[in-house]
Amino acid sequence: MTDDYNSLPTPPWWSSPASRRAARDEERRTRRQAQAVERAASRGPGRPETPPHAPVTPENIADAALRLIDAQGVDGLTVRALAHELGVGTMTLYWYVQNKEEVLDLVADRLLAGLSFPAADQDWRLSIREGLHAVRSALLRHARAVPIMIGRGSFGPNGLRLIEESIAVLRRAGFGPSDAADAYFTVSNFVTGFCTFETSALSVKNKPDIDMKGYAQLIKQYIESLPFERYPNLQAAAPRIFGASLDERFSFGVDCLVAGLEARLGEGRTS
């Protein structure tokens, strides 16, 4: 069965949903009774009732928050805007989340929904490569949400499953628990950092009025105009510096990480 928020204990940094649920249910019953009386009085003969809004769940909250972030960036996500997107009142939303930080936790976990590391019978190196490429693709689908992942662990059902599966891959390869944990954080930080680099709003390539091919050509010409005796290696590497795609650079980084882990495993340095 797929994990969800109801099947996991509440993280200690957030209060229990159960403690909010009882009060919320009582408040909802009282409010619905009052609203039913008000609607009956104002509707008039033959006018249909207003359909209720969709149930508010952690998944729905995260999806609505992602829609706001995709459209307006993280700064555009406010509790008021989120409540409006969900079709509920702001105070109603506070029954489900305590503040914006809890919403960001939900979003960080939602970004990883549907991801998994390949099956256990596959070579661990291929599993790491495919897993990292899958995480990058998932993050780039919501490029404006990537900053949320910086320094924020994902300990919802999707994040926990991904951590469990990736550490399992490493342990089956022969890494001990400590090295498997360090390897996980190393590759995880690499993919998050790389995605942050390629989606940053401050990056020149993400400026709407920049012709990146023309810009790269100008820099290449500038490098080639520098004194060769002072910058021979920079000039030798210039074609690759300005010719490689981000996909190629990411693959190179993943290959280096896997090679380093393989070397450590071969040296018997696993804890």
Side-chain angles (χ1 to χ4, degrees), residues 178-196:
S178 294
D179 268 15
D182 289 343
Y184 165 76
F185 280 105
T186 298
V187 298
S188 175
N189 288 335
F190 167 75
V191 67
T192 301
F194 195 95
C195 289
T196 301

Side-chain angles (χ1 to χ4, degrees), residues 162-184:
L162 200 61
I163 295 172
E164 172 65 23
E165 290 178 353
S166 57
I167 290 179
V169 167
L170 291 161
R171 293 196 67 186
R172 284 194 297 269
F175 291 93
S178 294
D179 268 15
D182 289 343
Y184 165 76

Side-chain angles (χ1 to χ4, degrees), residues 43-111:
R43 188 166 61 245
R47 183 178 174 185
E49 282 200 48
T50 302
H53 60 72
V56 179
T57 65
E59 291 80 10
N60 289 346
I61 292 172
D63 288 342
L66 270 174
R67 289 194 296 272
L68 290 172
I69 294 170
D70 287 343
Q72 306 174 41
V74 177
D75 290 342
L77 173 63
T78 65
V79 174
R80 182 182 298 275
L82 180 58
H84 183 268
E85 181 71 17
L86 288 164
V88 301
T90 302
M91 296 311 298
T92 298
L93 183 56
Y94 276 121
W95 284 112
Y96 298 90
V97 292
Q98 297 179 64
N99 49 37
K100 183 176 176 178
E101 283 299 308
E102 188 173 359
V103 174
L104 295 179
D105 282 353
L106 294 176
V107 171
D109 190 68
R110 195 63 169 164
L111 288 172

